[in-house]
Amino acid sequence: MNRVMSRVMIVDVSLLDRLIALLYSVVSFPVWVCYAIQNYNHCGRLLSRYEYCCGFDYRFCQTSRLARLLAVVRGELHLIGFSPKIAYSSDNKSVGAFSARDIHENLGITPPEYHHLSDDMELKMYWWKKMIYPLLYAYSLLFKVTHKPINQRIKWFGIEVFNGQQSIALNIIKQLIVAIPKKNPSLIGYVNADCLNKLKDSDKYRKNLAKFNLVLPDGVGLKWALKLKGILPGDNINGTDFSPKILELAAQENWSVFFLGGEGDISKNALAKFKNVYPNLNVAGSHHGFFNEDKLVIDYINKSKAQILFVGFGSPLQEQWVVDNYKYLSVNIVICVGGMFDFYAGKVQRAPLLIRQVGFEWLYRLYQEPKRLWNRYIVGNANFIFWNVSHALDIRMFCLNVCSRTIDVVISFIALIIWAPFHIILYCLLFITERRNPIFKQVRVGKNGQRFIMYKYTTMDSDIILEEEEEFKRYVSDGIRYKNKSDPRITKIGFWLRKFSVDEIPQFLNVLKGEMKLVGPRPALDEEVEKYTQVHKLRLLVKPGMTGLWQISGRSELSCKKQFELDLNYVMTRTIMLDLTILIKTIPAVYSARGAM
């Protein structure tokens, strides 16, 4: 029977469907080969075929859509239609390789008119829709997650935003409504990319949203941002699509609702439309959003005995009004819905479903009102993308490291060229007087605990050995070794080399090699690092430097504790300007020889 129905469908599938499927198959052939090899390794065959009520479903292991193109070419599936896994025998004319349902599930959206998607299911579709749908499905895969979070909270600038399933969010709202009567109503709000831009820049808006019991994510932009953070995104709970679900629930539970916002009769008209959709909806009343006397409106709402109040003033005005007045309201719950009333009253036309499916409704709104929404959608979205990507990729730190490295290489290269003649003279002098290698090499600890060989001019007599007890008493501070002026191992020439920091000039080689920077914490010894606390180890987050904050603030005159504080302060606040300031201040510090040893 199934095979007969399959043959019937071959006649019904249009030539256009087959040509489009063939085109995508040719383009994706290299991917086909990879999936076929993977499927053979797992299943022992290149392609898996599963029989269903209306024909066959082709799959590459867990990846089915690409293989279904073959079924379209063979005439066993339409290009667009119900998914074979949910189709019944009566739906044999509407079964397709790509379906709106799957795209919506991947994007995490369920529009209220989902059950009216006849345009997407019928065979007589525009050719451009047939061309776009496979690409649309591929786009939706960017947002698909195997395991969506159920009830998670993600902090954005200190505000906890819900990240989970729509059904769970709806259940939370239901619990807030039926909860034991509280002194004050519960507050529900939405945040989208524009709201997050405002949150980033407005302390007042953050304080207002912090008082809300539940903040829901609105828009594909937040899903992108969560992906960049490495967090699995939940459903896209778009306020305009999700609020009708709350109204449907209110109609079932006989909860009264009140609409506040919009111009003239906008809120009244929107409420009337929902009353037509949900005849059992208990309407408490409505009021426009342009009023001066808050008390009169609040009294009107309270007298209506509404249990759910929808406020649509737009962000952040609506959140400000709610926070200022919620203590005087007798409703169970207040929900901020932005411009929802305008959409359902017919004042503003919503974007076609296909545009909403790809998350580009904002582009359609910009087309409608370019002058008013230019700053919000062009400047705002660019700002949103920049700070999310920069946060994810740490662009600021990348630019800082590139600029810092460039400065280090240029200055070190010039310094070594200028110093080369003096180096030859000093090298010979040290060799003659000290009778040993003039360049001292020592293992130091660099960034993230990596060891490297640090170069210096020899300034100590290695033949002199200190007793351990004497070394601990005189050369250890706060449990960590430090320099001491009276160290008997310092030679006469070494004293003057240290006094003017000439002994550290060979470290320009370490800077060129990338082991050190011109500015940073001083490179530590292994035995010092062993005594580090967790706080001390923060010094190892950056490369060590030839100079730093404590070198220009008194050098060895400072206590070991103070030196650590200055190094940690540099690690946390370093910038290019700070590096340049330290380099400039190092010159007079070296010339004065204050604190040198």
Side-chain angles (χ1 to χ4, degrees):
M1 180 67 180
N2 292 333
R3 298 174 188 268
V4 173
M5 298 179 80
S6 156
R7 295 193 184 102
V8 172
M9 288 188 63
I10 293 177
V11 178
D12 292 335
V13 177
S14 69
L15 180 62
L16 179 60
D17 279 14
R18 298 190 187 191
L19 290 176
I20 293 174
L22 182 62
L23 174 64
Y24 278 108
S25 300
V26 172
V27 172
S28 59
F29 182 74
V31 183
W32 275 62
V33 173
C34 295
Y35 277 132
I37 294 173
Q38 183 182 11
N39 197 77
Y40 184 81
N41 291 333
H42 282 84
C43 311
R45 52 186 179 271
L46 297 178
L47 191 69
S48 300
R49 189 174 75 163
Y50 300 86
E51 193 168 0
Y52 67 102
C53 64
C54 304
F56 295 101
D57 185 13
Y58 295 86
R59 297 182 187 177
F60 288 125
C61 291
Q62 301 300 321
T63 306
S64 57
R65 294 302 181 281
L66 195 60
R68 283 179 185 171
L69 290 173
L70 178 60
V72 178
V73 174
R74 289 171 55 88
E76 297 177 4
L77 283 178
H78 296 290
L79 187 67
I80 301 169
F82 290 118
S83 174
K85 64 182 179 183
I86 63 169
Y88 298 96
S89 57
S90 59
D91 299 321
N92 65 316
K93 291 185 178 181
S94 301
V95 181
F98 302 95
S99 69
R101 179 189 182 93
D102 294 319
I103 292 172
H104 294 157
E105 287 179 353
N106 292 344
L107 292 172
I109 61 174
T110 307
E113 66 269 37
Y114 175 74
H115 52 284
H116 299 303
L117 297 181
S118 57
D119 287 343
D120 291 337
M121 298 299 113
E122 291 180 0
L123 301 180
K124 295 180 180 180
M125 298 184 64
Y126 295 109
W127 66 269
W128 58 268
K129 273 194 175 184
K130 293 190 175 185
M131 290 293 295
I132 289 175
Y133 247 74
L135 295 176
L136 184 59
Y137 179 79
Y139 170 80
S140 71
L141 290 176
L142 296 174
F143 300 94
K144 183 180 180 180
V145 292
T146 307
H147 303 288
K148 289 182 181 179
I150 298 174
N151 184 4
Q152 190 181 45
R153 296 295 189 277
I154 305 297
K155 278 199 172 184
W156 296 91
F157 307 108
I159 304 300
E160 290 189 346
V161 179
F162 177 83
N163 182 44
Q165 299 175 1
Q166 282 194 15
S167 57
I168 300 299
L170 192 63
N171 189 49
I172 293 173
I173 293 175
K174 181 179 180 180
Q175 291 174 1
L176 291 174
I177 295 174
V178 302
I180 297 173
K182 306 178 291 298
K183 182 179 179 182
N184 298 315
S186 300
L187 308 181
I188 310 296
Y190 296 89
V191 291
N192 52 28
D194 180 58
C195 294
L196 289 182
N197 283 337
K198 294 172 182 174
L199 272 178
K200 179 170 64 73
D201 301 325
S202 174
D203 291 334
K204 192 174 184 180
Y205 187 32
R206 281 198 297 270
K207 290 178 181 178
N208 289 339
L209 269 183
K211 296 180 180 179
F212 278 57
N213 301 81
L214 180 64
V215 180
L216 300 171
D218 181 352
V220 178
L222 271 70
K223 295 172 75 71
W224 273 111
L226 288 176
K227 286 266 189 177
L228 288 174
K229 284 174 171 283
I231 299 172
L232 290 178
D235 289 336
N236 173 18
I237 308 179
N238 179 282
T240 307
D241 293 333
F242 183 68
S243 294
K245 298 179 185 296
I246 302 175
L247 291 168
E248 183 179 6
L249 180 64
Q252 295 171 359
E253 302 292 338
N254 196 31
W255 296 326
S256 56
V257 299
F258 193 105
F259 279 11
L260 175 64
E263 298 178 348
D265 293 333
I266 290 293
S267 58
K268 183 178 179 180
N269 294 338
L271 199 51
K273 182 172 182 179
F274 283 117
K275 179 68 176 177
N276 290 331
V277 178
Y278 310 113
N280 295 328
L281 183 65
N282 186 351
V283 177
S286 64
H287 195 284
H288 61 80
F290 294 84
F291 53 85
N292 297 321
E293 294 292 334
D294 289 349
K295 188 177 185 305
L296 293 177
V297 175
I298 291 171
D299 289 342
Y300 181 53
I301 296 171
N302 291 339
K303 287 178 182 178
S304 72
K305 296 183 179 180
Q307 294 168 281
I308 306 175
L309 172 63
F310 288 84
V311 180
F313 297 161
S315 297
L317 181 61
Q318 60 190 10
E319 287 80 12
Q320 183 64 59
W321 187 88
V322 167
V323 169
D324 290 341
N325 299 287
Y326 76 100
K327 294 181 180 178
Y328 311 114
L329 293 165
S330 60
V331 299
N332 294 54
I333 193 169
V334 180
I335 305 175
C336 295
V337 292
M340 184 187 80
F341 302 155
D342 291 336
F343 289 119
Y344 286 101
K347 180 184 176 182
V348 178
Q349 184 181 358
R350 291 205 70 184
L353 182 60
L354 190 62
I355 295 178
R356 278 181 276 158
Q357 286 173 341
V358 296
F360 283 165
E361 186 171 9
W362 64 271
L363 197 59
Y364 188 80
R365 292 285 294 116
L366 180 64
Y367 165 75
Q368 290 176 314
E369 301 179 75
K371 290 183 179 180
R372 188 175 74 86
L373 299 176
W374 174 266
N375 186 67
R376 172 177 175 177
Y377 287 130
I378 299 300
V379 178
N381 285 357
N383 182 35
F384 179 79
I385 292 171
F386 175 78
W387 63 258
N388 272 286
V389 172
S390 63
H391 178 77
L393 303 180
D394 207 351
I395 290 178
R396 187 193 70 84
M397 190 58 65
F398 174 78
C399 293
L400 174 61
N401 291 335
V402 170
C403 293
S404 179
R405 180 60 182 159
T406 302
I407 293 172
D408 287 347
V409 171
V410 171
I411 293 180
S412 299
F413 186 74
I414 294 173
L416 288 174
I417 290 177
I418 294 175
W419 181 251
F422 302 98
H423 168 75
I424 296 173
I425 297 173
L426 183 59
Y427 188 93
C428 295
L429 180 63
L430 289 173
F431 183 80
I432 294 171
T433 56
E434 303 297 334
R435 296 294 180 181
R436 58 172 62 89
N437 189 352
I439 301 297
F440 175 71
K441 300 177 183 179
Q442 189 177 42
V443 176
R444 294 293 181 107
V445 181
K447 182 179 179 180
N448 297 326
Q450 293 182 350
R451 272 60 178 174
F452 69 97
I453 304 296
M454 189 188 75
Y455 307 111
K456 293 182 68 174
Y457 285 119
T458 301
T459 58
M460 285 188 173
D461 188 347
S462 58
D463 294 333
I464 301 176
I465 301 175
L466 297 176
E467 295 182 3
E468 291 185 7
E469 185 177 352
E470 178 185 2
E471 183 180 8
F472 181 80
K473 289 181 179 179
R474 298 178 61 185
Y475 307 104
V476 173
S477 174
D478 298 325
I480 298 175
R481 185 185 306 224
Y482 73 108
K483 293 180 181 179
N484 192 296
K485 277 185 179 181
S486 58
D487 193 325
R489 295 171 296 178
I490 299 176
T491 62
K492 292 181 179 180
I493 296 178
F495 171 80
W496 292 102
L497 293 179
R498 285 181 168 226
K499 186 175 182 65
F500 295 101
S501 299
V502 176
D503 63 317
E504 297 180 1
I505 288 180
Q507 290 171 32
F508 281 117
L509 289 172
N510 294 112
V511 176
L512 279 179
K513 292 170 65 178
E515 298 164 338
M516 291 178 61
K517 295 170 70 273
L518 292 177
V519 180
R522 286 298 295 158
L525 295 165
D526 270 322
E527 53 265 34
E528 294 174 0
V529 174
E530 290 175 0
K531 300 174 183 178
Y532 276 5
T533 64
Q534 291 300 319
V535 176
H536 288 147
K537 289 180 180 179
L538 293 176
R539 296 175 78 248
L540 304 179
L541 292 176
V542 299
K543 291 180 182 179
M546 294 179 63
T547 184
L549 278 178
W550 67 265
Q551 286 92 334
I552 64 172
S553 304
R555 301 170 80 175
S556 296
E557 291 181 355
L558 301 176
S559 66
C560 189
K561 181 179 180 181
K562 186 63 177 177
Q563 293 175 8
F564 269 105
E565 289 178 357
L566 291 172
D567 276 344
L568 293 177
N569 181 54
Y570 170 79
V571 171
M572 299 302 175
T573 63
R574 68 191 185 103
T575 62
I576 292 296
M577 290 306 299
L578 179 60
D579 283 2
L580 293 175
T581 301
I582 292 173
L583 288 173
I584 293 171
K585 290 185 176 182
T586 298
I587 298 173
V590 170
Y591 180 77
S592 64
R594 176 173 170 250
M597 62 176 63

